[in-house]
Amino acid sequence: MLHLDPWNKVMVMAGAAAAVAITILLVVCFVGEGCLVYELINSSKRKKAQARKLSGALYGTADKNGVNLTNYAAYGRGDAVHIPTRQQSVASAHSLNEKVERSLLSRLSSSSRTDSTYSSMSSARTSSSSIESTSTTSSSSPTQDKISPPAVTFSLLASIIPDSNTVKLAIAVESATDLPARDYGAHCDPWVSVTVLRDRRSIRRRPPAPVAFFKTKTIRHAHNPFYSQTFVTDIQKNEMKEISLQFTVMDQDRHCGPVEMGHTSITLKDAKQTVEEPEKFTTTQFIKESKKDCGEILFGLSYLPTAQRLSFSLIKINNIKQEKKAEEETLNPYLRIMMFNQSGRLVKKKKTTVKVNTKDPVFNETLNFEVAPGQLENSRFLMTLCNRTQVVDMMIMDGNNQDSSDQESNGPGGFSFESDKNGRRESQGKQKDVCIGRIALGKKVLSDKSRDHYQSVCGTPRQVFSMWHTIR
């Protein structure tokens, strides 16, 4: 065993304390800010992060926002600007465009921004007295208790490229406010689409031609989303008075697909961007909900308390209306009914058989749901009209040789459909069926007719109530 005199023990203890102190000093230098070693190590990382942040904030790169903003070409145009093929001319043109874009975006993002609010409560935003207002107001009455209608806030700024007939238009989608929840109780997942339209002057009054289309990111479970995304597109100087922009707020519903919540539009002339030196234009406009009519449906509703069964007697649909883009497709309609609990979570879903190539399908089917009397008050139901887009296997059936276990259903005329192979399988990544329209039922839905129909069933059980409803 080693024996040390008192002086050697003091030296050993001093050396150990010095080693501990040096270790702590090194750890503090590498971890804490303000140290020279820390600054030398992290200087290069800061430069890269700052450059990446600036590029994402100005241009909305695809890896950050999920939107491709680098494609500024206007499709369907025959009068595009031709750039010289010489290397020097091309290089100078690119550098000029980059300078114009940077100055334009810096001017557009010069104003202060507010923080995002993702709660479902009404925001403290105050809108202007008119939908066509030219600036965002910030004062309102503190005693205002009414919920404001949904609105979208955006900014516009045009910049003329020197010695060119091209104008760069920067469009900044700032935020959306007071977006309503879904009819069946779930929160919305909103995103905003921006369509640049050019008015075509003709005797036939043709609709405006699309020049460019942009889309923001989707923010989940947000009623007051904050986007702060900027898009840039090129337009011709002599067409500025004919250019208008349409902002459409969409809800990315996993059960129905994208659902339009409302839209608004504005022209560059109203935004004062057609003058010699346009200034930044910021406004908040209320969005108008588009009322579409997809057909009329007749169905009955009844509730049996002893069996705890809610029955949907689906009879028929008259005059199914599709969008103009889908009119040429074959219409194979069927109905899907989904049951949701109070929090908007899907509990159960059922669907009818598919009817082949008809706009006036007759179902005459009954779909039953097990609902306890205590759940009947808070349950909500969503009825969707869908079109089977998958390949339909139609064959002439022989009633004596047909095995019912191989087929989902038999329609009139002896046609059958493959349900498992060609059905709607979202989890396997197959193509989804197109949702044409929907109807929400429950005691707390927005539609007065649907709410009265459901309340009549709850108030008078063991009786069938049949009504016509409009599919929207």
Side-chain angles (χ1 to χ4, degrees):
M1 185 174 180
L2 183 62
H3 296 281
L4 299 176
D5 55 354
W7 287 104
N8 290 334
K9 292 181 179 180
V10 171
M11 292 178 64
V12 170
M13 293 176 64
V20 172
I22 292 174
T23 304
I24 294 175
L25 182 62
L26 291 176
V27 171
V28 171
C29 286
F30 278 101
V31 177
E33 296 183 0
C35 182
L36 181 61
V37 179
Y38 179 84
E39 296 295 335
L40 291 176
I41 294 176
N42 294 282
S43 60
S44 60
K45 294 182 178 180
R46 287 181 180 178
K47 292 180 181 179
K48 292 181 181 179
Q50 186 177 6
R52 188 162 58 250
K53 183 178 179 181
L54 287 175
S55 63
L58 292 178
Y59 294 97
T61 53
D63 56 342
K64 289 179 176 296
N65 298 327
V67 185
N68 185 11
L69 305 183
T70 58
N71 185 13
Y72 301 149
Y75 57 89
R77 300 286 299 273
D79 50 355
V81 178
H82 298 281
I83 301 176
T85 57
R86 290 181 298 178
Q87 295 180 356
Q88 296 180 354
S89 300
V90 172
S92 61
H94 282 297
S95 62
L96 181 61
N97 288 336
E98 290 180 358
K99 291 180 180 179
V100 172
E101 287 183 9
R102 289 188 178 275
S103 62
L104 178 65
L105 293 172
S106 62
R107 290 170 57 192
L108 189 64
S109 60
S110 60
S111 63
S112 60
R113 296 176 180 175
T114 57
D115 294 334
S116 173
T117 303
Y118 296 106
S119 64
S120 60
M121 299 176 63
S122 177
S123 65
R125 177 198 58 83
T126 57
S127 59
S128 56
S129 59
S130 175
I131 295 179
E132 302 295 334
S133 62
T134 58
S135 62
T136 306
T137 60
S138 59
S139 61
S140 65
S141 175
T143 60
Q144 185 179 4
D145 296 330
K146 295 183 179 179
I147 299 177
S148 301
V152 60
T153 302
F154 58 90
S155 301
L156 302 175
L157 181 59
S159 178
I160 301 175
I161 300 178
D163 301 330
S164 176
N165 194 31
T166 304
V167 177
K168 285 194 174 294
L169 178 63
I171 309 165
V173 181
E174 300 294 344
S175 62
T177 51
D178 299 325
L179 299 180
R182 295 170 184 168
D183 288 343
Y184 52 89
H187 297 291
C188 57
D189 301 335
W191 54 273
V192 181
S193 66
V194 183
T195 308
V196 183
L197 302 172
R198 176 167 54 90
D199 189 14
R200 295 184 289 187
R201 299 178 180 178
S202 62
I203 302 176
R204 298 180 180 179
R205 296 182 179 179
R206 293 183 296 176
V211 176
F213 177 83
F214 302 101
K215 173 184 175 182
T216 66
K217 58 188 176 183
T218 302
I219 300 180
R220 297 194 60 192
H221 301 167
H223 297 276
N224 298 278
F226 185 76
Y227 298 100
S228 185
Q229 287 187 254
T230 304
F231 311 98
V232 180
T233 185
D234 295 340
I235 57 177
Q236 298 300 314
K237 185 178 180 181
N238 55 359
E239 296 178 353
M240 291 188 64
K241 294 183 179 180
E242 303 173 0
I243 296 295
S244 62
L245 292 92
Q246 182 174 352
F247 297 85
T248 306
V249 182
M250 305 291 293
D251 178 19
Q252 191 65 35
D253 194 338
R254 58 175 297 186
H255 304 294
C256 305
V259 179
E260 180 179 343
M261 304 181 71
H263 67 276
T264 184
S265 60
I266 191 173
T267 61
L268 292 185
K269 185 177 180 181
D270 295 336
K272 298 181 180 180
Q273 299 298 307
T274 58
V275 297
E276 293 294 334
E277 296 181 358
E279 298 181 355
K280 179 182 176 181
F281 174 84
T282 303
T283 181
T284 298
Q285 293 191 358
F286 299 139
I287 58 176
K288 302 177 182 178
E289 183 180 1
S290 59
K291 297 181 180 180
K292 65 175 185 178
D293 184 3
C294 301
E296 299 289 334
I297 180 174
L298 175 63
F299 67 92
L301 196 62
S302 62
Y303 181 68
L304 189 60
T306 54
Q308 298 185 359
R309 184 176 65 222
L310 183 67
S311 301
F312 289 83
S313 301
L314 306 173
I315 302 175
K316 62 179 180 179
I317 302 178
N318 289 341
N319 192 18
I320 298 178
K321 299 177 183 177
Q322 291 180 282
E323 295 181 358
K324 294 182 179 180
K325 298 180 181 179
E327 286 182 352
E328 298 179 358
E329 299 179 358
T330 303
L331 184 60
N332 304 313
Y334 69 94
L335 290 172
R336 182 188 297 269
I337 301 179
M338 290 166 280
M339 176 183 174
F340 298 89
N341 58 10
Q342 186 178 4
S343 61
R345 179 173 296 180
L346 180 63
V347 178
K348 197 171 184 180
K349 58 183 179 180
K350 292 185 178 183
K351 64 179 180 179
T352 64
T353 57
V354 182
K355 304 303 177 181
V356 188
N357 195 15
T358 177
K359 291 186 177 182
D360 302 293
V362 178
F363 295 99
N364 289 328
E365 299 182 29
T366 301
L367 300 181
N368 299 319
F369 290 86
E370 294 182 3
V371 184
Q375 300 176 351
L376 191 64
E377 184 78 16
N378 298 321
S379 297
R380 302 187 186 187
F381 295 86
L382 182 66
M383 183 185 301
T384 60
L385 174 62
C386 303
N387 181 24
R388 175 61 58 87
T389 57
Q390 299 285 349
V391 179
V392 180
D393 183 17
M394 298 184 298
M395 62 181 66
I396 299 178
M397 311 274 291
D398 187 0
N400 297 328
N401 299 328
Q402 177 61 33
D403 186 4
S404 59
S405 62
D406 296 336
Q407 302 295 335
E408 179 185 0
S409 59
N410 296 336
F415 295 109
S416 63
F417 302 89
E418 295 183 1
S419 60
D420 295 335
K421 295 182 180 180
N422 297 328
R424 187 185 184 190
R425 294 294 184 89
E426 300 178 7
S427 60
Q428 296 181 0
K430 293 185 179 181
Q431 184 180 3
K432 299 179 182 179
D433 295 339
V434 178
C435 178
I436 301 175
R438 61 181 186 172
I439 297 174
L441 292 170
K443 283 192 173 183
K444 299 179 181 179
V445 298
L446 299 178
S447 176
D448 295 336
K449 193 172 185 179
S450 301
R451 185 170 60 251
D452 295 341
H453 192 181
Y454 191 83
Q455 288 180 352
S456 61
V457 174
C458 297
T460 311
R462 301 183 183 86
Q463 185 176 349
V464 180
F465 292 87
S466 299
M467 292 180 63
W468 283 96
H469 292 264
T470 303
I471 304 175
R472 302 192 182 278

